[in-house]
């Protein structure tokens, strides 16, 4: 594909955007040609979303110019961007759940009859026309809250097309999709570009970029690193551009030297919120200095198992022992006091207090002991210096430790949790989905931390839905299916095929 | 005419109506006919009184509904009504004109609505505190400037709607009312139409449910909240004008007597729907009318203090037991912040 022949539809020159304490974009150039898919690649916090919000008029750039179809524009608001043919599908869908598809599509650009009455028939007809033209099947009268996320995303695309967008910005569109839904989306994207729509596709997933993009632009720390063609790139070369150094996608680790049994689970049964038994007689052991990975399709009792072992959920029957103590009915704090670290599955709900500053989040597991508290009075100075040291050591990208946890990107949130959990002596680490939805650099960092802990003699229980992650980190792998441990394999014997069969409940 | 889309909006309301409305409606009609055949005068006055008592509640609840649908909780309805009642009253005392007086009341309510919008949208204050400020402000101002002995020059008089007013039972109850009572009923229909069939309504519901979605398609969320909360205040002002200029003809301290808060209960029981609000306001109006009737008839030997509790007990019972699951607008109470 020769881009020189193609018309340039959007050009950004020297875009800079400064926030107090942070330079989110620094002198960024970007060129989009008609009918092309431009992938914008970068780690979390690299400034991708900021750049797109500038192009969509949500932010005003500190410096720089934007040209659309040969015309210099000043985008004051989304309205301006829409008028210039830019449509954006946000990472978090901007749809009103209790309204219908058609209502959401026309919102803000309503069709009305002479008397000012909404013309919902015409709206439905227009939605149908668009969905036929671009192969985006939706029912205009369906309520948004009843639709699966993949369909909601189509509604977002139709919403942009209804506003005559011919430049479409898709912000991390695959983050919420299953692999099948993602494939459908790629199909739709190609259909759109074939009909003259130009697409900016934001992501940090390397495989997708190589599969779907015509051009790849890479952002790192707010600066444009370069633009490459997919034919000239590999996953490794892209990862290097994103992170700025060689990224080892494979985790390097030496052989394990298992020691004493730290966690012993005996015939444990746990109920879920609907009082049905989802963990049915699980027994396992984790020794010091080894990683036991729990593989399995999500929803087979892994979450409840972790919650029981960390004291969040009560145990129906059976026992578990941590360092020889029967901790079956311990409170979360008693379990923490047994030198247990926990990286919870839902970092925003259970990992951090979003409305607290970062510094307070770094002491959630030990604010009540010396040196952070003296006789129940909190020592702010000690907490702050502790937080500053952790932020530095774990490379958390933030303007200040007094910033709220909610302001951090996903990868940085996870780093704060990991930093907190490892900032006191650890004998047992329970990590659930530790790298879900975070960027390559952070994944690599967290993987290294987990292996480092193992090598220091920590027993690690790792629960993950990513088979790659389980296979690269674990020394032994237990497969969970319908609340049972199907089998436990040493890493040397575990192949994808074997694990896949066990995860589907087959014994063979 | 009604498209699927509009129907879908009213889904919860229609379900609600189907489940309860039909039976309640039949019951009411049967009871009214039975009452009319045995005690025509008492029945007529009871029903007329129900409608009158419900008027300030309908208006107050429409004020709350419009605010919450736009994402702003208004617990200052009581204060908006009270100060509007007072200003409307004074305007009449000094000008002698009823129309100017009503307009003054509405304007006062709208200004207080603007104040609430300023506190909750611009200052991003907690909206409960903002509403409380208005309630205390109104109580203080009216108490301070209150003079005894003033009365209005005339009251808004019933208007008989021609031959309709001569119908038995229905005539005197429905077609021989003073203007604000008619206006309240008309406003129920207007509000329903505006909310569910117009551009303004679609946008209003959007900013109350998901303001960011509205913002990203170019709707000015904060400006709309200002406008809607001010209009809502004007409706509460009309309720205030009703109290002094249509119902009583004079002003008393704290004469709203909790109606602004009952209106909130009415709004919730009405499931944030104009017709639902109307139905539940009639129920509360009936409780008040019944209370008055029981006190005057003297046939039942219960201390009047207990009978007087009836509407308030009903509020508690309804809110605690019969509301079921209502779903308030998702973004109510949250100031909208652009990122």
């Amino acid at each position: 594909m020769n881009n020189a022949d193609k018309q340039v539809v959007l050009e950004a020159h020297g875009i800079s955007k400064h926030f107090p304490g942070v330079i989110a974009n620094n002198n960024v150039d970007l060129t989009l040609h008609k009918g092309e898919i431009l992938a914008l690649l970068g780690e979390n916090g690299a400034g991708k979303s900021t750049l797109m919000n500038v192009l969509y008029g949500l932010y005003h750039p500190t410096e720089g110019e934007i040209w659309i179809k040969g015309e210099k524009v000043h985008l004051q608001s989304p309205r301006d961007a829409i008028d210039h043919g830019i449509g954006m599908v946000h990472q978090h869908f901007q749809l009103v759940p209790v309204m219908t598809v058609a209502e959401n599509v026309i919102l803000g650009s309503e069709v009305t009859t002479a008397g000012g009455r909404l013309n919902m028939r015409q709206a439905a007809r227009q939605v149908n026309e668009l969905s036929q033209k671009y192969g985006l099947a939706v029912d205009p009268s369906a309520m948004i809250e009843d639709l699966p996320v993949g369909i909601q995303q189509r509604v977002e695309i139709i919403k942009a097309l209804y506003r005559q967008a011919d430049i479409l910005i898709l912000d991390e569109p695959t983050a919420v999709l299953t692999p099948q839904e993602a494939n459908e989306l790629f199909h739709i994207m190609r259909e759109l570009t074939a009909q003259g729509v130009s697409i900016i596709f934001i992501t940090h997933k390397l495989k997708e970029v190589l599969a779907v993009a015509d051009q790849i632009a890479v952002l790192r720390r707010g600066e444009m690193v370069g633009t490459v063609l997919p034919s000239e790139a590999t996953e490794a070369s892209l990862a290097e551009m994103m992170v700025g150094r060689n990224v080892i996608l494979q985790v390097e680790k030496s052989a394990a030297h298992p020691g004493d049994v730290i966690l012993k689970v005996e015939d444990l049964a746990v109920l879920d919120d609907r009082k049905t038994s989802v963990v049915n007689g699980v027994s396992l052991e984790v020794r010091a200095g080894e990683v036991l990975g729990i593989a399995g399709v999500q929803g087979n009792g892994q979450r409840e198992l972790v919650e029981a072992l960390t004291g969040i959920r009560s145990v129906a029957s059976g026992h578990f022992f941590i360092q020889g103590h029967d901790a079956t009915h311990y409170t979360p704090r008693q379990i923490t006091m047994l030198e247990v670290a926990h990286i919870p599955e839902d970092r925003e709900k259970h990992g951090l207090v979003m409305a607290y500053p970062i510094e307070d989040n770094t002491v959630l597991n030990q604010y009540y002991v010396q040196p952070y508290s003296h006789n129940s009075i909190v020592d702010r100075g000690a907490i702050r210096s502790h937080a500053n040291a952790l932020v530095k050591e774990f490379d958390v990208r933030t303007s200040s430790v007094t910033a709220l946890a909610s302001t951090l990107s996903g990868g940085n949130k996870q780093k704060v949790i990991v930093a907190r959990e490892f900032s006191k002596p650890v004998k047992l680490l329970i990590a659930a989905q530790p790298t879900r939805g975070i960027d390559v650099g952070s994944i690599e960092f967290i993987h290294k931390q987990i292996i480092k802990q193992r090598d220091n003699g920590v027993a690690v229980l790792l629960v993950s839905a990513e088979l790659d992650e389980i296979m690269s980190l674990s020394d032994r792998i237990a497969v969970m299916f319908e609340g049972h441990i199907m089998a436990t394999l040493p890493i040397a014997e575990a192949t994808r095929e074997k694990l896949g069969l066990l995860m589907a409940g087959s014994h063979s | 005419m009604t498209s699927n889309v509009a129907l879908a909006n009213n889904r919860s309301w229609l379900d609600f109506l189907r489940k309860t409305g039909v039976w309640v409606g039949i019951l009411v009609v049967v009871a009214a006919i039975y009452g009319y055949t045995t005690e025509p005068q008492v029945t007529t006055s009871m029903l007329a009184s129900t409608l009158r008592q419900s008027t300030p509640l309908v208006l107050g609840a429409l004020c709350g509904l419009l605010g919450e649908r736009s994402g702003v909780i208004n617990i200052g309805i009581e204060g908006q009504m009270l100060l509007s009642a007072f200003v409307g009253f004074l305007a009449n005392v000094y000008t002698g004109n009823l129309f100017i007086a009503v307009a003054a009341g509405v304007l006062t309510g709208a200004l207080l609505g603007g104040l609430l919008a300023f506190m909750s949208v611009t200052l991003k204050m907690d909206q409960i505190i903002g509403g409380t400020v208005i309630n205390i402000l109104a109580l203080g101002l009216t108490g301070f400037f209150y003079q005894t002995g003033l009365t209005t020059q005339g009251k808004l008089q019933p208007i008989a709607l021609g031959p309709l007013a001569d119908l038995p039972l229905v005539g005197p109850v429905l077609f021989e009312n003073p203007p604000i009572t008619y206006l309240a009923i008309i406003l129920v229909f207007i509000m329903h139409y505006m909310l569910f069939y117009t551009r303004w309504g679609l946008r209003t519901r959007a900013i109350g449910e998901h303001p960011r979605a509205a913002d990203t398609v170019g709707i000015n969320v904060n400006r709309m909240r200002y406008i809607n909360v001010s209009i809502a205040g004007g409706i509460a002002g009309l309720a205030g004008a009703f109290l002094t200029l249509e119902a009583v003809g004079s002003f008393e301290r704290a004469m709203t007597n909790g109606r602004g808060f009952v209106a909130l209960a009415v709004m919730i029981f009405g499931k944030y729907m104009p017709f639902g609000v109307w139905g539940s306001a009639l129920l509360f109006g009936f409780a008040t009318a019944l209370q008055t009737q029981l006190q005057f008839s003297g046939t039942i030997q219960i201390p009047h203090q207990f009978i007087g509790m009836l509407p308030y007990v009903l509020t508690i019972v309804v809110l605690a037991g019969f509301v079921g699951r209502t779903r308030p607008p998702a973004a109510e109470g949250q100031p909208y912040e652009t990122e």
Side-chain angles (χ1 to χ4, degrees):
Chain A
M1 173 164 328
N2 189 351
N3 282 308
D5 304 343
K6 289 193 151 186
Q7 185 200 343
V8 172
V9 289
L10 183 142
E11 232 179 330
H13 281 304
I15 300 287
S16 295
K17 176 67 188 173
H18 300 187
F19 292 109
V22 180
I23 298 175
N25 284 153
N26 188 18
N27 198 22
V28 172
D29 291 331
L30 190 79
T31 309
L32 178 69
H33 300 90
K34 189 173 168 62
E36 114 183 322
I37 298 176
L38 172 70
L40 184 62
L41 194 61
E43 292 191 272
N44 283 331
K48 296 171 300 201
S49 292
T50 305
L51 181 59
M52 290 307 115
N53 284 333
V54 166
L55 294 181
Y56 194 58
L58 281 166
Y59 294 160
H60 308 304
T62 316
E63 273 170 56
E65 302 178 346
I66 299 167
W67 294 71
I68 295 172
K69 291 156 206 140
E71 183 196 343
K72 186 176 171 184
V73 294
H74 294 279
L75 304 173
Q76 296 299 321
S77 69
R79 189 80 246 172
D80 284 352
I82 293 165
D83 291 344
H84 284 98
I86 298 181
M88 182 152 174
V89 176
H90 298 261
Q91 189 176 359
H92 304 288
F93 298 150
Q94 301 300 324
L95 299 170
V96 183
V98 295
M99 290 188 185
T100 64
V101 169
E103 284 181 311
N104 269 286
V105 168
I106 63 168
L107 180 66
S109 314
E110 298 85 353
V111 275
T112 51
T113 55
R117 186 188 167 99
L118 289 174
N119 191 341
M120 292 315 298
R121 277 189 193 182
Q122 199 193 328
R125 196 162 54 234
Q126 280 177 291
V127 170
N128 281 330
E129 277 167 19
L130 286 169
S131 53
Q132 267 157 30
K133 186 174 173 194
Y134 296 101
L136 296 152
V138 286
D139 170 11
S141 61
M143 286 291 236
I144 294 296
E145 62 185 352
D146 300 335
L147 297 175
V149 280
I151 307 288
Q152 290 189 19
Q153 193 167 56
R154 287 185 197 169
V155 178
E156 282 279 26
I157 294 173
I158 291 177
K159 218 168 110 182
L161 296 171
Y162 171 82
R163 288 167 176 73
Q164 327 244 286
D166 51 10
I167 300 168
L168 211 53
I169 302 170
L170 306 178
D171 190 2
E172 307 245 1
T174 56
V176 291
L177 301 182
T178 65
Q180 290 78 5
E181 286 174 327
N183 280 333
E184 273 173 52
L185 175 69
F186 296 150
H187 192 77
I188 289 166
M189 285 165 67
R190 289 205 194 84
E191 184 66 35
L192 289 167
T193 50
Q195 302 205 35
V197 177
S198 317
I199 294 176
I200 300 178
F201 169 50
I202 303 172
T203 186
H204 56 244
K205 295 187 183 171
L206 304 172
K207 281 197 177 78
E208 293 177 353
V209 170
L210 291 171
V212 80
D214 298 315
Q215 289 258 9
I216 303 168
V218 183
L219 268 181
R220 185 205 312 154
R221 293 197 167 216
E223 296 186 22
M224 189 59 79
V225 187
T227 308
V228 291
L229 295 173
S231 53
E232 298 163 356
T234 63
E235 280 187 50
S237 74
L238 290 176
E240 191 182 334
M241 285 176 82
M242 275 166 73
V243 183
R245 61 189 154 75
N246 248 323
V247 177
I248 307 119
L249 293 173
Q250 195 62 38
V251 185
E252 279 181 25
K253 65 181 207 280
S254 53
H257 301 289
D260 300 336
V261 173
I262 299 291
L263 172 69
K264 185 175 172 64
V265 180
E266 281 178 357
D267 204 20
L268 198 71
V270 185
L271 307 182
D272 70 0
D273 295 332
R274 285 166 300 179
K275 302 286 168 215
T276 47
S277 182
V278 287
V279 176
N280 306 312
V282 164
S283 298
L284 51 83
E285 278 182 6
V286 190
R287 291 174 177 273
E290 72 162 358
V291 178
L292 175 68
I294 296 199
V297 178
Q298 269 181 55
N300 276 290
Q302 300 99 314
R303 172 185 298 173
E304 288 77 12
L305 175 64
V306 167
E307 287 178 353
L309 295 180
T310 49
I312 302 171
R313 185 177 289 275
S314 56
V315 170
S317 68
H319 293 272
F320 66 90
F321 303 87
I322 298 171
Q323 299 200 59
H325 300 271
D326 182 348
T328 313
H329 300 292
Y330 275 23
T331 62
R333 179 173 291 184
Q334 286 173 312
I335 290 176
T336 309
M337 301 291 252
L338 291 173
E339 299 179 315
V340 176
H342 176 208
I343 301 175
E345 177 175 331
D346 188 335
R347 57 181 160 262
E348 306 204 343
K349 224 187 229 165
H350 301 135
L352 298 170
V353 181
M354 302 302 277
Y356 277 11
I358 293 164
E359 54 180 3
D360 288 354
N361 272 295
T362 61
V363 290
L364 287 181
N365 56 347
Q366 48 184 341
Y367 65 89
Y368 47 87
V369 296
Q370 296 269 10
Y372 310 109
S373 285
H374 312 285
N375 304 322
S376 297
I377 306 294
V378 162
D379 183 340
R380 304 293 327 172
I383 291 174
R384 182 152 306 170
S385 56
H386 172 72
N388 275 319
L390 289 184
V391 161
K392 205 168 164 204
E393 185 189 342
F394 285 78
D395 190 27
V396 178
R397 313 251 168 97
T398 175
S399 53
S400 154
V401 292
T402 55
L404 296 186
S406 56
T407 62
L408 294 172
S409 70
N412 284 312
K413 281 178 187 146
Q414 196 72 340
K415 282 182 188 171
V416 171
I417 295 172
V418 171
R420 174 185 73 215
E421 294 300 319
F422 291 172
S423 66
K424 57 178 218 146
V426 179
K427 276 283 182 323
L428 171 65
L429 167 65
I430 299 176
Q433 319 287 358
T435 61
R436 177 193 281 169
I438 64 177
D439 54 283
V440 185
S442 303
I443 291 176
E444 188 198 21
F445 182 83
I446 287 169
H447 281 176
K448 277 188 178 162
Q449 290 292 327
I450 291 175
I451 293 303
K452 196 171 123 195
Q453 293 292 329
R454 181 199 76 155
D455 292 344
N456 290 341
V458 172
V460 180
L461 182 71
L462 170 73
V463 176
S464 174
E466 299 264 352
L467 203 49
D468 286 334
E469 180 166 79
I470 292 277
M471 292 185 69
S472 59
L473 292 180
S474 307
D475 301 307
R476 290 186 299 132
I477 299 175
V479 181
M480 211 164 162
F481 175 74
E482 291 188 347
H484 298 282
I485 299 286
M486 296 295 291
T488 306
L489 306 174
I491 186 68
E493 291 173 24
T495 62
R496 282 182 157 272
E497 291 69 30
K498 255 191 208 170
L499 292 174
L501 283 172
L502 288 167
M503 281 162 72
S506 148
H507 264 293
S508 65
Chain B
M1 275 300 274
T2 323
S3 64
N4 287 340
V5 175
L7 271 177
N9 276 318
N10 301 342
R11 201 169 50 172
S12 58
W13 159 238
L14 281 176
D15 285 350
F16 174 65
L17 185 79
R18 258 185 230 115
K19 275 187 215 133
T20 56
V22 177
W23 292 108
V24 171
I26 292 170
L27 207 69
V28 166
V29 171
V30 169
I33 292 171
Y34 174 74
Y36 192 65
T37 51
T38 52
E39 288 263 16
Q41 272 195 320
V42 173
T43 309
T44 309
S45 77
M46 270 289 295
L47 291 182
S49 163
T50 296
L51 201 63
R52 262 195 310 283
Q53 295 290 354
S54 74
T55 299
L57 299 180
V58 169
L59 293 169
L62 286 179
C63 162
L65 181 150
L66 180 51
E68 299 216 2
R69 283 280 188 175
S70 316
V72 178
I73 296 176
N74 184 355
I75 68 152
I77 302 172
E78 177 85 0
Q80 293 176 329
M81 275 192 200
L82 186 63
L83 194 60
S84 305
F86 186 61
V87 172
F89 167 72
L90 285 186
N92 176 270
V93 168
Y94 289 109
T95 66
N97 186 317
L98 282 166
F99 182 76
I100 290 177
V102 172
V106 170
L107 188 68
T108 305
L111 287 175
L112 286 177
L115 176 64
L116 178 68
F118 177 69
M119 289 188 287
S120 52
V121 174
T122 305
L123 302 181
K124 302 189 193 306
M125 264 171 68
D126 185 301
Q127 296 175 4
I128 304 299
I129 307 280
T132 307
V133 164
I134 288 175
N135 287 335
I136 294 173
L137 183 74
L139 207 57
L141 285 178
T142 54
F144 184 75
F145 289 106
Y146 174 68
Q147 294 167 291
T148 46
L150 295 178
T151 49
T152 57
Q153 308 181 28
K155 280 202 307 183
L156 292 166
Q157 294 303 318
I159 304 165
L161 293 183
L164 287 173
D166 299 331
L167 294 168
L169 183 61
V170 188
V173 172
L174 286 180
F175 303 112
E176 205 180 337
N177 284 306
I180 297 180
T181 304
Y182 287 129
L183 203 53
I185 297 170
I186 295 167
L187 271 175
V188 168
F189 286 84
I190 292 180
M191 186 70 83
H192 181 82
Y193 180 81
M194 292 294 286
L195 267 181
F196 296 108
Y197 296 95
T198 68
R199 169 198 313 230
W200 170 84
L202 185 68
R203 293 180 175 193
T204 294
R205 287 181 289 134
I207 64 170
E209 289 286 347
H210 195 333
R212 185 143 188 85
D215 189 17
T216 54
V217 292
I219 295 169
N220 188 330
V221 174
N222 287 343
R223 190 177 69 195
M224 239 186 133
R225 285 188 172 171
Y226 256 98
I227 294 170
N228 287 358
V229 173
S230 299
I231 295 173
I235 298 175
L238 194 60
F242 168 88
L243 293 176
T244 43
L245 303 170
E246 187 167 301
V248 183
S250 68
F251 183 84
E252 296 151 32
R253 280 202 174 94
M255 73 184 299
T256 42
N257 208 4
R259 282 186 183 85
F261 294 108
V262 175
L264 282 173
V266 164
M267 171 191 73
I268 295 169
F269 189 47
K271 306 220 166 191
Y272 303 89
M273 293 285 179
F275 286 119
V277 157
W278 192 23
S280 70
L282 285 172
L283 178 67
F284 281 89
F286 177 74
T288 313
L290 185 67
Q291 174 245 124
T292 319
Q293 183 65 36
L294 288 176
Q295 287 191 21
F296 281 115
S297 72
T299 46
I300 300 173
Q301 295 304 315
I302 303 172
H304 68 92
Q305 287 90 343
F306 284 95
I307 299 175
M309 286 178 192
L310 203 59
Y312 306 98
V313 170
L314 183 69
T315 308
I316 293 171
V317 169
V318 155
L319 283 186
F322 289 94
V323 170
R325 257 199 60 191
T326 53
R327 187 153 83 171
E332 68 166 24
Q334 302 160 11
Y336 177 62
E337 314 226 23
T338 44
E339 273 172 20

